[in-house]
Amino acid sequence: MEREIACSNKDEAIENFQFTGRLVSEEPYGNGHINDTFLLVFSHPDMENHRVILQRMNDEIFKNPEEVMANIQGITSYLKKKIIENGGNPNRETLNIIRAKDGKPFYKDSFGSYWRAYFFIENTICFEQVDTPQDFYESALAFGHFQMLLSDYPAESLYETIVGFHDTEARYHTFEKAVEADICGRAADVQKEIQFVRDRAEETKALFTAHEEGRLPLRVTHNDTKLNNIMFDDVTKKAICVIDLDTVMPGFAVNDFGDSIRFGASTAVEDEQDLSKVQCDMELYERYVEGFLEGCEGKLIPSEVALLPMGAKIMTFECGMRFLTDYLEGDHYFKIHREGHNLDRCRTQFKLVQDMEEKWDTMEKIVKKYC
Ligand code: ADP
Ligand code: GN1
Ligand code: MG
């Protein structure tokens, strides 16, 4: 089920980065849904074996990989300066790009595929599911802090790497087109899920309306704040580095909050097939509210804080709708590893949305407690 990567040349890419030493192993790595990630190990007579992350960028999704890398270069250099000013370790607390031999932050192979490389962040772990509430709190602090570090970043210098990435209403229209086209003949079997989306069509406008009314400012945000986009120190268990910077763009803070909740506050993994296991855990939610607001250091405005529950619900709904759209369109966007994988993912998200609707008062009360 893995998307073919035949139209690219990994060996050519490896040859063309400024790597040191002899390549001793390479293997596919991680659980990202978008890029093709590899772990490479190099040996060198004068140093210990060292590891790097090599990624083939997904240029069907990121139409302009050079702009993505220009953003990442700008952001990581800026973060490095801030981390040093704050007495941190810039080698561990931000991604560090390894340049290609021609000095560029990417390599374009002879098939036209784009590759990039980062130093592997050693002595870290990455979670697919929350282990303890404390870990989740740590991730909240880090994502909040990440946003605050970038609060003075020149937003106008950032390219919009995916147009309308979290424009939920536009995504709803795309969804309706997919239902109408029904190119795989799958719509008849997912009527319940289609209706679930349609019943909430009006809500897809909620955040943009709040923005137009001045209640929700645009900020530089990460836009893909799931738990496996953050690295934890394996000894201290502190969340030390925010990764996967492809979608750092102007956006809404409540979406960064919300995406973390939909993934990390769930009692099950994103593709769980037994929906009885899927709920939005209010203890985890509360820890995240606490950590995120603390990490944001009081910079969010009150009307924005009040929209945190809505961010959680909309991001979960949007993500479920995106999985369903991809299922209807033949699974061309998110990597799948089994038949119906995107439908399973969609169902967990909708189960979470429903659960949030039932727990709405509690979700709002928790937010008020930390204002
Ligand atoms: P995707 O966009 O496909 O999600 P990511 O950039 O998030 O790709 O990378 C996929 C996974 O690879 C991450 O979840 C993480 O486990 C691992 N990873 C990525 N970059 C690094 C790095 N610099 N050091 C250690 N692990 C990394
Ligand atoms: C993708 O890249 P990754 O796997 O961290 C997706 C997110 C979705 C997420 C769902 C660029 O994130 O928007 O919320 O899958 N990233 C992109 O798990 O579309
Ligand atoms: Mg990722």
Side-chain angles (χ1 to χ4, degrees), residues 32 224 226 228-229 244:
D224 190 2
K226 56 186 202 189
N228 66 9
N229 286 332
D244 204 345

Side-chain angles (χ1 to χ4, degrees), residues 47 50 58 87 91 93 98 109 122 124 157 162 182 187 213 217 227 244 278 310 312 321 324 354:
M47 50 168 96
H50 61 280
N58 188 324
N91 297 329
E93 293 171 33
I98 303 173
D109 72 21
E122 295 291 352
T124 52
S157 70
I162 298 179
D182 193 18
E213 292 171 359
L227 190 68
D244 204 345
V278 183
M310 190 50 98
M321 182 167 67
L324 184 56
Q354 205 174 359

